[in-house]
Amino acid sequence: MKKIIKVGVVGVGYLGRFHAQKYAAMPDVHLVGVADADPERAGQVADECATQPYTDYHGLLDQVDAVSIVVPTSLHHEVAKACLLQQVDVMVEKPITTTLTEADDLIRVARDQQRILQVGHLERFNPAVLAMQPLLTHPLFIEAHRISVFKERGTDVDVVLDLMIHDIDIVLSIVKSPIVSILTAGAPVITHLTDIANARLIFANGCTANITVSRISMETMRRMRIFQPGQYLSIDFGRKEIMAVQLRPGQDGGNPEPEINKSTFQDQDALELELSDFVHHVRERSKPAVSGEEGRRALDVALQVIAQIHGNRERVEQILRDEGRTDLLAHLKTR
């Protein structure tokens, strides 16, 4: 008989509520409680999931084996560290923290306390991404587009930490090679933070990844295309679809012919897979694939992208000041 894993959720806003629902439905898992600074929200989600509400997450820590932390990014370090020091395993939503210093501290504390630290890079558990892994050989060019309509949720960070970090993490997991060059472009449009961005990552093994993200578009798209010798892969994260196109020798020495294979995984839930994976590592005391170190690696690249975009913006601001365009400068002003 499997050990019952006692879990809690800290932060039950839009995404945290889904964490609570998934845990509540899992076999061999007991959702002890949910915590949120908003007592009404905590009570509402607790009622939905037949558990106990807390307004202070510290009240949960001596009752659980593990927690999901789904609070604003600026609080990730503080909350995750408190949980780890209380001998509680942690699933923290992406990005792991706001700085590399904070990430390093969490990794150190998790190691010292012998606790699980997993980072919620959800797209790693997208069924189409999982199905893509056996098809990979030597990616030469990767193109990713992740665009969405504007929503207030997530605007506490810029679009690189909000959206691009998903694709950065996937690309880093695919391309087993150091980055030798990063070229970026980005701009604030609606918020004072970057709302649209592009990053071109060039790797030592010859692969190039071109990543475009936007949170101010008129449509939603989450796709990645991977080109490698003799094969082209197209992954639609939203539809959970993967298409593989491979050239086969033509008949009687004729032109090569494409062989197209499509697979759809609509019946599989990425969040459920991710949280089940976390519970598995808690139970087995094993290191997750999306560890604190993996989360730090993605954050490192994301912060380099952000720094380069900010440098570009500072040059634009100086040009606007020289031209006397205070109307545009007021909105573009970096924080």
Side-chain angles (χ1 to χ4, degrees), residues 5-309:
I5 301 298
K6 295 176 289 184
V7 303
V9 179
V10 181
V12 285
Y14 175 80
L15 183 56
R17 177 185 175 218
F18 295 134
H19 278 242
Q21 290 172 347
K22 299 301 179 186
Y23 285 132
M26 283 183 190
D28 303 313
V29 171
H30 173 45
L31 179 62
V32 174
V34 297
D36 199 280
D38 181 345
E40 183 177 350
R41 182 66 179 179
Q44 177 189 355
V45 176
D47 287 345
E48 289 178 356
C49 299
T51 190
Q52 295 299 312
Y54 294 78
T55 53
D56 184 347
Y57 71 89
H58 291 90
L60 265 175
L61 300 187
D62 61 354
Q63 304 179 60
V64 297
D65 302 306
V67 293
S68 274
I69 297 175
V70 202
V71 297
T73 305
S74 59
L75 298 176
H76 282 188
H77 175 256
E78 173 190 334
V79 177
K81 185 172 184 177
C83 294
L84 292 168
L85 289 173
Q86 284 288 107
Q87 295 289 295
V88 174
D89 294 320
V90 166
M91 154 69 77
V92 61
E93 268 302 330
K94 64 82 194 168
I96 180 173
T97 51
T98 57
T99 70
L100 294 180
T101 299
E102 290 178 341
D104 288 336
D105 190 44
L106 289 188
I107 293 167
R108 177 189 59 79
V109 173
R111 182 179 61 248
D112 291 348
Q113 299 296 318
Q114 298 184 329
R115 293 296 97 193
I116 305 299
L117 174 60
Q118 185 164 331
V119 184
H121 284 285
L122 182 62
E123 294 288 27
R124 289 274 203 109
F125 295 89
N126 189 304
V129 174
L130 296 175
M132 169 191 76
Q133 299 299 327
L135 303 176
L136 295 171
T137 57
H138 187 100
L140 298 173
F141 182 68
I142 301 171
E143 188 167 41
H145 287 86
R146 187 175 296 265
I147 62 177
S148 67
V149 297
F150 182 76
K151 300 174 183 176
E152 289 291 339
R153 183 175 59 85
T155 55
D156 61 315
V157 295
D158 77 16
V159 74
V160 176
L161 290 181
D162 183 23
L163 298 180
M164 185 182 284
I165 197 167
H166 280 298
D167 294 309
I168 289 173
D169 176 64
I170 293 173
V171 167
L172 293 177
S173 73
I174 291 172
V175 185
K176 311 298 185 181
S177 180
I179 294 174
V180 296
S181 177
I182 299 176
L183 299 173
T184 67
V189 179
I190 294 178
T191 74
H192 286 282
L193 298 170
T194 303
D195 295 315
I196 184 169
N198 173 267
R200 192 173 184 86
L201 312 180
I202 301 174
F203 294 84
N205 70 350
C207 181
T208 296
N210 193 52
I211 305 173
T212 300
V213 293
S214 170
R215 58 185 179 194
I216 52 168
S217 299
M218 300 300 291
E219 61 178 332
T220 296
M221 177 193 300
R222 294 156 52 204
R223 294 178 184 169
M224 180 175 287
R225 297 187 295 167
I226 301 171
F227 300 86
Q228 54 190 15
Q231 192 177 52
Y232 156 64
L233 304 175
S234 177
I235 303 96
D236 189 316
F237 299 108
R239 295 178 181 271
K240 299 178 184 176
E241 293 179 351
I242 182 170
M243 179 178 70
V245 181
Q246 192 158 356
L247 289 179
R248 297 297 185 189
Q251 295 183 356
D252 301 324
N255 292 331
E257 298 176 356
E259 179 182 291
I260 301 174
N261 293 294
K262 293 183 180 181
S263 301
T264 303
F265 307 89
Q266 290 288 351
D267 58 338
Q268 297 184 42
D269 186 297
L271 182 59
E272 183 177 333
L273 291 172
E274 179 184 55
L275 297 183
S276 294
D277 180 73
F278 175 54
V279 169
H280 166 77
H281 292 297
V282 170
R283 180 176 284 118
E284 300 298 325
R285 309 314 301 162
S286 53
K287 186 174 182 177
V290 193
S291 62
E293 289 83 358
E294 292 285 297
R296 184 202 187 278
R297 187 169 62 150
L299 177 64
D300 185 14
V301 175
L303 292 178
Q304 290 183 58
V305 171
I306 290 170
Q308 193 174 127
I309 289 174

